[in-house]
Amino acid sequence: ERERGIFLRVLCLLAALLHGASPCPPPCHCSSDGQVVNCGGLGLSSLPPLHLLPPGSRSLLLANNKLSALGTSAFANLSSLEEMDLSNNYLDNLPGGLFRDMSNLTRLTLHNNSLTGLYRELFQSLDLSLNGLSTVPLGVLDELQSLRWLSLAGNRLHALERAAFEPLVNLQYLELGQNPWECDCNLRDFKHWIEWLLYRGGRVDAVECTLPKDLRGRDIRTVPVEMFNYCLQLDDENGDGTRAGNSGGPPCSRSNANANGDAPPGDNGEDSSPSSSGGEGTSDCVRARYRPVSVRRAIGTVVIAGVVCGIVCIMMVAAAAYGCIYASLMAKYQRELKKRQPLMGDGEADGEEREEKQISSVA
């Protein structure tokens, strides 16, 4: 029995040593294999000692805490992580390069924070729902070409620039619901981009209008494009020197990219600088002209229209040829009929003479 007790103590000591070889940052809970580190719901106002993460950890869960700020090097040397959940915290800003060392990170959840700005990182899944975002600046998504799922639901978005989302060539799922969308000229080009995303097999949830009143509660995807024709007229009027900042001009974009001097020049070749427009700040209102939803769709439409027109032309030619053939046959038939009528008349006259001869012979 004594030897048995010593053996059990040795086993306990070995178990303690093995446990110490796979540390877990307090007060977090780690899975048995060390791949999932759960630090959620602990009321943390600062990050736990992440240098104690088990080697090879793949998931770090920090949801439902009180985190309000993160340092630039908070997640340094965490290249093994593939998923991070920072939802339900008080984050209002994320420093640039925060996820620079996390080369394997593919899913980031920032649901229900207080973020008011975006940043440039590489992910496949990005959840930015229930924050305070009012715009998506141009260029901020340029490096997210591998992104497949993006949620911007429950923010303060009124309009979005189409050019800001065009780099997302692999995007398949986009959530935009629960935003105060204003379905005017500012949202026209983005509506066309949504249609292109749906055309290539992507999915978008409802984009319900809050303004104008006659479109309130209506999904912009069901709004006919003809309702935005007035925007083209306003753009044409705006192109002859009248800027949107003046009365009667089209509304300016809410994107702060123009405020940063990134506004594209107009298609009429005018300079977008304040000096060329005659007033300070008028370059903010320079609007790009309407672009087709897709070059492929435009070419496809032209090809289909050409095929239909060709078929119609062939049918018209066939009908004309049939008419000509029918007319020629009828004319030939009439000529033959006229030729036969005198012959028939001669035969009747000979028959009458024969009858008269027979009568006279009898008499």
Side-chain angles (χ1 to χ4, degrees):
E1 293 181 357
R2 183 177 180 181
E3 293 177 354
R4 185 177 180 182
I6 295 174
F7 180 72
L8 292 176
R9 292 179 184 178
V10 172
L11 288 179
C12 293
L13 180 60
L14 290 175
L17 292 175
L18 291 175
H19 180 74
S22 300
C24 187
C28 304
H29 303 281
C30 300
S31 61
S32 57
D33 56 3
Q35 293 188 0
V36 179
V37 180
N38 188 356
C39 305
L42 300 176
L44 301 177
S45 57
S46 60
L47 292 176
L50 298 180
H51 64 278
L52 297 178
L53 285 179
S57 298
R58 294 186 178 181
S59 298
L60 177 58
L61 309 179
L62 293 165
N64 303 311
N65 283 296
K66 300 179 180 179
L67 301 175
S68 59
L70 297 174
T72 305
S73 59
F75 302 127
N77 302 320
L78 298 180
S79 59
S80 64
L81 287 180
E82 299 177 0
E83 177 185 5
M84 178 175 291
D85 188 353
L86 289 166
S87 59
N88 299 322
N89 280 282
Y90 303 116
L91 299 173
D92 57 1
N93 186 27
L94 296 178
L98 177 62
F99 308 100
R100 183 178 303 163
D101 295 337
M102 308 179 71
S103 57
N104 291 318
L105 187 65
T106 58
R107 180 177 180 84
L108 176 64
T109 303
L110 292 165
H111 169 82
N112 195 19
N113 278 277
S114 302
L115 297 175
T116 57
L118 292 179
Y119 44 89
R120 302 186 183 189
E121 299 293 346
L122 293 173
F123 310 110
Q124 293 183 8
S125 176
L126 182 58
D127 187 351
L128 293 167
S129 59
L130 296 179
N131 283 282
L133 299 175
S134 59
T135 184
V136 177
L138 292 173
V140 76
L141 301 175
D142 289 353
E143 299 180 8
L144 300 180
Q145 297 182 3
S146 61
L147 194 66
R148 301 179 61 86
W149 186 87
L150 174 63
S151 177
L152 294 169
N155 284 283
R156 296 183 296 171
L157 297 170
H158 297 272
L160 291 172
E161 295 286 347
R162 168 179 177 166
F165 289 80
E166 287 180 340
L168 304 179
V169 294
N170 292 311
L171 190 66
Q172 293 295 323
Y173 302 93
L174 180 61
E175 295 184 358
L176 297 171
Q178 301 177 11
N179 279 287
W181 300 109
E182 296 184 7
C183 300
D184 54 12
C185 295
N186 291 322
L187 203 58
R188 175 196 59 183
D189 290 343
F190 187 70
K191 165 184 166 62
H192 297 149
W193 181 85
I194 290 177
E195 293 173 351
W196 167 236
L197 177 63
L198 297 173
Y199 175 77
R200 62 182 179 87
R203 297 182 182 179
V204 182
D205 63 347
V207 183
E208 295 184 356
C209 306
T210 57
L211 291 175
K213 292 183 178 179
D214 55 344
L215 295 178
R216 181 174 297 173
R218 187 171 178 179
D219 192 338
I220 193 174
R221 295 175 298 180
T222 65
V223 177
V225 69
E226 289 77 14
M227 295 191 65
F228 295 92
N229 287 341
Y230 74 96
C231 300
L232 302 178
Q233 181 180 359
L234 292 176
D235 286 345
D236 291 337
E237 295 176 355
N238 191 38
D240 58 3
T242 304
R243 296 300 182 192
N246 300 334
S247 59
C252 301
S253 173
R254 291 182 175 83
S255 175
N256 59 7
N258 292 346
N260 295 332
D262 295 330
D267 289 345
N268 53 8
E270 296 180 1
D271 187 3
S272 61
S273 61
S275 58
S276 64
S277 58
E280 182 179 0
T282 53
S283 62
D284 297 347
C285 300
V286 177
R287 299 286 296 167
R289 288 181 181 269
Y290 166 76
R291 293 183 296 172
V293 177
S294 169
V295 176
R296 292 182 181 178
R297 293 183 68 180
I299 295 175
T301 302
V302 173
V303 172
I304 293 174
V307 171
V308 172
C309 292
I311 294 174
V312 172
C313 292
I314 293 173
M315 294 177 63
M316 293 177 64
V317 171
Y322 175 79
C324 293
I325 295 173
Y326 179 79
S328 64
L329 292 176
M330 290 299 297
K332 184 176 180 180
Y333 174 75
Q334 292 294 333
R335 289 195 299 268
E336 295 292 336
L337 186 62
K338 289 181 179 179
K339 289 180 181 180
R340 292 179 181 179
Q341 285 179 353
L343 297 176
M344 294 175 64
D346 295 341
E348 292 176 356
D350 294 341
E352 291 176 356
E353 291 179 357
R354 291 175 183 174
E355 291 178 357
E356 290 178 355
K357 289 180 179 182
Q358 290 178 356
I359 294 172
S360 61
S361 62
V362 173

